[in-house]
Amino acid sequence: MGQPTPATDDGWWRSAVIYQVYVRSFADGDGDGTGDLAGVRARLPYLADLGVDALWFNPWYRSPMKDGGYDVADYRAIDPAFGTLAEAEKLIAEAREVGIRTIVDIVPNHVSDQHPWFRAALAGGPERELFHFRPGRGQHGELPPNDWRSEFGGPAWTRLPDGDWYLHLFAPEQPDLNWAHPAVRQEHEDILRFWFERGVAGVRIDSAALLAKDPELPDFTEGRDPHPYVDRDELHDVYRAWRAVADEYGAVFVGEVWLPDTERFARYLRPDELHTAFNFSFMSCPWDAARLRASIDETLAEHAPIGAPATWVLCNHDVTRTVTRYGRADTGFDFATKAFGTPTDLALGTRRARAAALLSLALPGAVYVYQGEELGLPEADIPLDRIEDPMHARSGGTDPGRDGCRVPLPWSAGEPHAGFGGEPWLPQPDGWAAYAADLQAEDPGSMLRLYREAIRLRPVFGDGPLTWLPAPDGVLAFARADALCVVNLSERPVDLPAHSALLLASGPLDTAGRLPHDTAVWLRA
């Protein structure tokens, strides 16, 4: 193939609006009920009208789909359910023609058990050294090599017929790679080059802090320092090597880094490592002014010394949708204790989600918008017999899993399956067509129109810092450039600060011109 011009790093990522595409649920172009690249290509005008700067694609590689594509069998091939490599190349090019860059997801911690390396390892080949195989403990090796637990529940080890065990921090179908082996490092650098040479502008790194393991694989002890597999120092050499590759192409990285220690978190964002990392503190905050302000302040403070931009995320493919989360009595989100049937006030959640959209889009840094958030979609209840997420099965049915935020999008109210395409791989709830994009495009008060206008107006905040303004309890107010953002999280309406113009509001002001509760505005100073 002719090599496309590599992406250029002109700093676009520092303040970008990046739209997350979960291909399987975005749009179905061939009518088989599964979203695909043809569906995304057909919806590029919609994404351009939304005004986003880039698309982040969840894994689109060949995969048995035991974990939504995060079990990769071939990093250089598109899964046939989604299309072909040639289609991906066309999509990257066509998106760039309308001003939208592409970010792909790389899953370096593990591969699919159908990956050629693992299949060769099971056959006794030298590829066994590329994974973590160990004899078991106990009199007959019947116990796992250590006490590590899978992120999806249950032990992090599976025993093979030959008696050995292999490590998988996620599902058994996702064996962990041995990042101490040079072939693993070389392969991933080659994968990066493969996609950068096809015009990809950046890479999102899944489970970025988990790759390196203590070679002794010791039992887990609470408070062990260093941790046996989270945030180990040797991991930074991996990302320095990756950064050198990315710099050849002007490409960028965003890491999925879950760390409570802000100093350790910031190490990943040093100038010779990752460009950005996701901000999970903000996403998991309850609808509380003090907690949100603290999260914003901490995020900006931890990024300031290293000059890296913050990122702001309200939702993604792994968490309960914003409308549902904010509509609960307890609006905090515990990632470990999701429950079925939590009562939700969708009107309240929608009002708060609209205000939160204006808050996040006014903050300095980059913003990620998960598909369907711009439509105000709630979390869907999935019938038990249709749940596919392995978290549900491995939790013994106590965790509903993540399928509720992955339901295929509604595009056209008057078409079968709300215009998604064929009968969707996950069922759309009754009334899903009411959220259809075509209806919202015609409704000035819709969530879609709010997002479009907010993204269009966002440059009024400039690229400078944030200054907090005096405000009543329960109210967030700050200035950037010559624009102000005010969010009322209190229970009573509040007066607006002095301003020359009202630019945008998440809901109407009251009859006295005051800002109602759970409402946000953008003002010109």
Side-chain angles (χ1 to χ4, degrees), residues 374-432:
E374 82 281 10
L375 301 177
L377 297 183
E379 188 81 356
D381 289 327
I382 307 298
L384 294 180
D385 63 348
R386 296 292 301 275
I387 293 176
E388 296 202 9
D389 187 358
M391 291 185 73
H392 174 65
R394 288 184 62 83
S395 69
T398 60
D399 190 316
R402 300 160 294 177
D403 289 343
C405 66
R406 301 175 178 182
V407 173
L409 299 189
W411 290 101
S412 305
E415 296 181 17
H417 314 301
F420 171 72
E423 182 176 352
W425 68 279
L426 278 177
Q428 295 172 319
D430 291 341
W432 206 239

Side-chain angles (χ1 to χ4, degrees), residues 19 26 43 46 372-378 407-421 428-449 452:
Y19 187 92
F26 185 72
R43 299 294 179 178
Y46 169 88
E373 288 292 289
E374 82 281 10
L375 301 177
L377 297 183
V407 173
L409 299 189
W411 290 101
S412 305
E415 296 181 17
H417 314 301
F420 171 72
Q428 295 172 319
D430 291 341
W432 206 239
Y435 296 96
D438 65 342
L439 291 181
Q440 296 203 35
E442 302 302 319
D443 178 3
S446 70
M447 185 77 83
L448 176 59
R449 293 283 289 270
R452 283 181 178 175

Side-chain angles (χ1 to χ4, degrees), residues 13-56:
W13 47 275
R14 302 187 70 88
S15 59
V17 177
I18 300 168
Y19 187 92
Q20 180 186 353
V21 178
Y22 192 79
V23 177
R24 198 177 184 190
S25 297
F26 185 72
D28 171 19
D30 63 9
D32 66 355
T34 296
D36 47 37
L37 301 189
V40 180
R41 291 173 63 201
R43 299 294 179 178
L44 282 175
Y46 169 88
L47 295 165
D49 287 345
L50 187 58
V52 300
D53 300 294
L55 305 178
W56 156 35

Side-chain angles (χ1 to χ4, degrees), residues 260-282:
D261 185 325
T262 57
E263 183 179 346
R264 299 285 300 187
F265 172 85
R267 295 179 70 204
Y268 289 85
L269 301 177
R270 289 176 291 196
D272 61 345
E273 294 193 41
L274 307 183
H275 300 75
T276 61
F278 284 133
N279 174 12
F280 294 107
S281 163
F282 182 77

